[in-house]
């Protein structure tokens, strides 16, 4: 938060400028963040050489990463991520991770995001502080944990099971497996990941890594900004969107020891499931789920690492995440 | 979210068990998550060999990572993170990041977290769905963006400046620089990071990497669970806790081109600043800030990569993050 001393100066003008301070004269022009076009088309990935050549100047540190919709992946070359470690120093610093791209698998969460409205209200983002009055801007968020791109933890479906602040950080940085069923989902909106899909994936890439996270790309994430298309409710009030079969969930737990599994839709079970058996199988087993993943087309089938930026509120049964794939 | 079909079965008993499904008989015992003691003491780091030897079984996937307080870092060996990439496959998968440990720099956010109460209310975590009635548990969160471990983005202090959903994902995975001023802060609660501190750091480790994030470890994160000690308000209503001087912020922007800077306290400016010059310098320049970082003692001075799990709500001026250091 800003300094509490702000209470004493409630009439800061809207055009507050950075101060000219000793040691570094702060020129106004250098403080104007430059907006550039997104570096990737929908579902696309910027060539590494192109991004590396452009570099990231101080005027371009912030760029529109999702202009035009949540379905656009922000990707960039991170040639500078690995920081050559000196031999000296506190602790024993490693060489740092090697990563050439970051893929954002997170939808923007607006008040109009398609939530499962039968079970929760729309998110509210209310501005409660205004820079021309208070000297700064701030929002009050009123959001159900299970809206937007979010995590489900064991306590969501199991009495007394672990809640979100209890997840070990090690389980939030794991190998990412992406299994694609979009072609089938285009024909059958109720289709779900099967054990056969997993075995087919393994016949191509080998056995799933232990402690991996399995994401199902049904192509559904592309529908998020099309009114009605994401929940895809029929005249009888039944939703139709893809999910994961309970059999596949059990296989992933028992036979492959995954840390979790997720979908690019609003339910792990799919929209038409009469009973949430997939939730009931996956979560009480000590695994987590992720729903409403975005831009899975920009992540490779295998070889990436998923970082789950899960929230850490006390007693949480889930919550909004930032899901990033390091490729 | 859970399946919308849950609406049809509001009386699921509290002892719902995972189903026995075709292809994988789900034994009850394998679904009981095992809780273990935290793997690190306060501020400590588990030896890699010890963690690697233990492994992570399916019954131990969830473990208490923060039992006894928010100041305990969750760390673990992630020998399995890098997934050997086959030569074939969609796209061109890299070799995946190499990381031996994950350090959690995030405080648990409870309703009693010490927020700057003059400017915002306490967080509210209200359970609105109950497993014995609804078949699942869920909370409604009502939280000011600027409470707990959180990000401040340019729009927080600049009219029309970028908001949180507009941050490029590449800026959320960056080299982490930790500069320590805890010894001085123990004597002078109002001390702030200076240009001299940065130059002293560089004399030991070399020039700060471009596009790095600079975190100030003032030791203050250890006070978060001690009533009154974190905001440290005097009888005159002035807070006393460390921060970053505006001169140091300007130096980091103009001379070192950082992506951002942060503190383990409730304000980038420190508690006693009469005017929030550090905010006004850093944020409108297109950089971000992080406040209330935790467990910085467990991150190395240099060589780690910071992953900022920032939220992505539309028009956000900041918000709760998951801050992870990959070492």
């Amino acid at each position: 938060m800003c300094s509490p001393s702000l209470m004493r100066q409630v009439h800061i003008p809207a055009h507050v400028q950075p101060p000219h301070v000793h040691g570094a004269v702060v020129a106004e022009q250098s403080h104007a963040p430059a907006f550039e076009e997104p570096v990737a088309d929908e579902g696309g990935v910027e060539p590494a050489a192109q991004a590396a050549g452009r570099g990231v100047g101080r005027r371009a540190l912030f760029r529109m990463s999702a202009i035009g919709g949540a379905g656009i992946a922000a990707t960039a070359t991170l040639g500078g991520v690995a920081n050559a470690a000196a031999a000296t120093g506190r602790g024993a610093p490693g060489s740092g991770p090697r990563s050439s791209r970051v893929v954002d698998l997170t939808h923007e969460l607006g008040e109009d995001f398609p939530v499962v409205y039968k079970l929760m209200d729309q998110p509210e983002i209310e501005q409660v502080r205004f820079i021309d009055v208070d000297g700064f801007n701030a929002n009050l968020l009123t959001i159900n944990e299970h809206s937007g791109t979010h995590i489900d933890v064991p306590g969501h479906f199991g009495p007394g099971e672990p809640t979100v602040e209890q997840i070990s950080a090690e389980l939030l940085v794991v190998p990412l497996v992406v299994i694609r069923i979009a072609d089938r989902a285009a024909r059958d909106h109720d289709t779900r990941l099967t054990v056969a899909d997993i075995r087919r994936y393994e016949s191509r890439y080998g056995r799933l890594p232990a402690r991996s996270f399995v994401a199902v790309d049904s192509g559904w994430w592309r529908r998020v900004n099309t009114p009605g298309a994401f929940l895809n409710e029929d005249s009888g009030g039944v939703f139709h969107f893809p999910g994961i079969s309970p059999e596949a969930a059990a296989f992933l737990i028992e036979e492959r020891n995954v840390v979790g599994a997720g979908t690019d839709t609003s339910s792990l079970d799919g929209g038409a499931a009469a009973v949430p058996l997939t939730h009931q199988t996956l979560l009480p087993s000590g695994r987590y789920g992720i729903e409403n993943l975005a831009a899975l087309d920009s992540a490779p089938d295998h070889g990436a690492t998923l970082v789950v930026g899960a929230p850490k509120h006390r007693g949480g049964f889930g919550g909004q995440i930032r899901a990033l794939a390091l490729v």
Side-chain angles (χ1 to χ4, degrees), chain A residues 132-285:
Chain A
D132 53 352
V133 175
D134 303 298
F136 63 98
N137 294 311
N139 291 314
L140 181 67
L141 308 177
T142 305
I143 303 183
N144 187 296
E145 291 169 332
H146 302 271
S147 41
T149 302
H150 70 276
I151 190 170
D152 284 355
V153 300
H156 183 39
F157 265 76
E161 298 286 354
T163 44
V164 73
E165 79 281 17
Q166 298 174 326
I167 303 178
S168 235
E170 65 173 348
L171 300 182
L172 302 176
V173 184
V174 293
L176 174 64
V177 167
V178 182
I179 304 182
R180 308 191 192 272
I181 62 169
D183 289 348
R184 198 166 75 224
R187 300 187 303 270
D188 175 6
H189 295 173
D190 296 320
T191 194
R192 305 201 285 185
L193 182 77
T194 65
V195 174
D197 291 325
I198 301 165
R199 292 200 184 281
R200 193 174 306 114
Y201 177 98
E202 290 189 329
S203 72
R204 180 168 184 182
Y205 297 113
R207 190 180 174 93
L208 302 191
R211 294 188 290 147
S212 59
F213 180 90
V214 175
V216 180
D217 178 9
S218 71
W220 220 255
W221 58 270
R222 295 181 187 274
R223 293 172 168 243
V224 75
N225 290 321
T226 305
F230 198 64
L231 295 177
N232 199 29
E233 187 173 5
D234 68 22
S235 58
V238 176
F239 299 135
H240 296 280
F241 53 77
I244 298 170
S245 73
E247 294 81 1
F251 178 85
L252 291 173
I253 297 165
E254 294 298 312
E255 304 297 329
R256 294 297 180 266
N257 195 22
V258 300
V259 300
T263 60
D264 56 355
T265 66
S266 295
S267 172
L268 299 172
D269 277 277
V275 177
L277 289 177
T278 301
H279 278 85
Q280 292 171 357
T281 301
L282 187 73
L283 301 181
S285 81

